[in-house]
Amino acid sequence: MALTKVELFDQIRRDSWREGLGVRALARKYGVHRRLVREALTQPEPTPRKTPKRRSPQLEPFKKVIDEWLRADLDAPRKQRHTVKRIHRRLLDEQDAAGLSYSTVRDYLAKRKPEIRIEEGRAPAKVFIRQNHPPGEEAEVDFGELWVNLAGVLTKCYLFVYRMSYSGKAIHKIYATSGQEAFLEGHVEAFTRLGGTPTRHIRYDNLTAAVTKVLFRGRLRVENPRWRLFRSHYRCEAFYCERGIEGAHEKGGVEGQIGYFRRNYLSPVPQVDSLAELNARIEHFEQLEDGRRIGARLRTIAQDFAIEAPLLRALPDDHFSTGLLLTPRVDRYGQITVRCCRYSVPIHLIGRTVRVMLHACEVIVYDRHREVARHERLTGKGTETIVLDHYLEALMRKPGAFAGSVALEAARIGGAFTDAHDALWSAARRSLGEPGATRALIEVLLLHRTMDDADVIAGIRAALSVGSFAADVIAVEARKAADARGTGRPTPGIARLSGPATVPAESPQVTSLTRKRLAELPPDTRPLPSVDAYDQLLRRPAPNTCHQSDTHHQESAS
């Protein structure tokens, strides 16, 4: 095995002072030149091997031309500067550099570009200067994209991250949109959980939720009016980074936090039924993060945040409404359009303008100051949410439209229209016919507005057990089911029949009042009535019908 130069020098020196061998003897023993032996005996370290300087004779005649092009690029627009491919093509076409390889030009440009910047007095291409972040003074905010398997559908979502610059304490929230509603709600969530706002500023890139126009003079921005109101309410200042990728390093803490959190806690793709379930998991992940140490820090994230938490600016007492107020008009189908999505409202509002409070996760509809509908917010263009309860009054007048309505199909898919409702409809149809059965069913569906869904379904099953489908009987049994659960009278809900109903395992039986009265009466000792005395009527001979008929004819003839 060949010795390295360091090992060879070590053995030469050891043989020199142990065995007293001279330069010639050491050179013969190790088969090296005497100059190497003298170097090992006189120098503490071996002389580094010289790297041969590669020369490119084919490129030499064109270096001056390439340097001129690179100097001109210093003042050219960033997107219209020479690339390696363009310089190589120009050399072949304009300078007759036949045979000059692309790799030769590439290697020369990689070395020469930074040298020319320095020769011309320009700053190096990338310079990073570490910054000091005092506790409680600065924070960073950004959105990151991720994919979630939401109820079996692969959905693109957005991760809102608010990170304190000193401690690295971060608040994460996943939304279905990155609009201004999610932007403001994420801030409120972070401010509330952290207990205050930074005393200096919060760093942002030029999000459309905050900035409507980027001015070319320094860091001046035209801010969104609603965002400006939000900042003034919470008394926090905004620091906007440079445009594009060049300003990403100015909030590198939150940029790195998004990638770190996505890789460590959101990979592989999460599979959940709702974003609320996923956000509950994220709060648990944040608790695990409190015990982590960032880099070579001595304290954990939680310990550093304990230092800066008392230094945050206190929150105002008043609440800022983060929802966006819209005023759509209800169309003839009883629906409103909000951000290219359609939502149903009660049909008595058709033709009127309603107030809509658009939040990041839900849509709330008001008729003046009264809430009339509440929906989970949709994000897919052209999607719609239809609630069967909103159309019951119209279907009562038009029972023939009930069976094929989109509202009924949506209630079946959502689980609000159960097998118990179908069984009731079938039983009523056999007795009342199609229109009457549908109206009877709608009367029962109206009970869901004032009673709990599970209690109404229990009442339906109890009524069907004795062959009844009357709404009054079902209402009585539903109240009995509510009393049995100890809940009393349930609070009326909004937009009922919009989600799956919880069906109890056992339904109560209807109590027969006749059977109850008979159980309370004393025993009857009287003998049972008999009809034996009337049997003598059966022994009387039948009249002669033929004789009577002849007599009748004779009297008629006379």
Side-chain angles (χ1 to χ4, degrees), residues 389-426:
D389 181 77
H390 294 159
Y391 300 91
L392 294 181
E393 286 82 2
L395 292 172
M396 182 69 79
R397 298 191 301 269
K398 299 180 178 181
F402 184 81
S405 64
V406 177
L408 176 60
E409 182 65 21
R412 290 185 188 275
I413 296 175
F417 196 86
T418 64
D419 295 338
H421 296 94
D422 264 326
L424 175 68
W425 197 8
S426 299

Side-chain angles (χ1 to χ4, degrees), residues 488-507:
R489 185 179 181 85
T491 303
I494 295 179
R496 306 299 297 272
L497 293 178
S498 59
T502 303
V503 181
E506 295 182 358
S507 301

Side-chain angles (χ1 to χ4, degrees), residues 261-329:
F261 198 84
R262 190 165 45 197
R263 289 188 303 270
N264 288 272
Y265 296 107
L266 299 175
S267 295
V269 175
Q271 298 185 10
V272 293
D273 293 330
S274 65
L275 291 182
E277 177 185 348
L278 182 56
N279 285 319
R281 295 185 190 177
I282 286 179
E283 292 185 12
H284 173 68
F285 298 152
E286 291 173 347
Q287 295 176 2
L288 301 178
E289 282 289 291
D290 287 342
R292 182 172 66 94
R293 288 179 172 83
I294 300 177
R297 296 184 183 182
L298 299 179
R299 293 184 295 270
T300 63
I301 293 177
Q303 292 171 344
D304 281 337
F305 181 70
I307 297 175
E308 67 176 347
L311 305 177
L312 297 176
R313 183 181 287 120
L315 297 177
D317 297 330
D318 299 334
H319 173 72
F320 187 91
S321 178
T322 59
L324 178 63
L325 181 62
L326 303 173
T327 55
R329 183 176 179 273

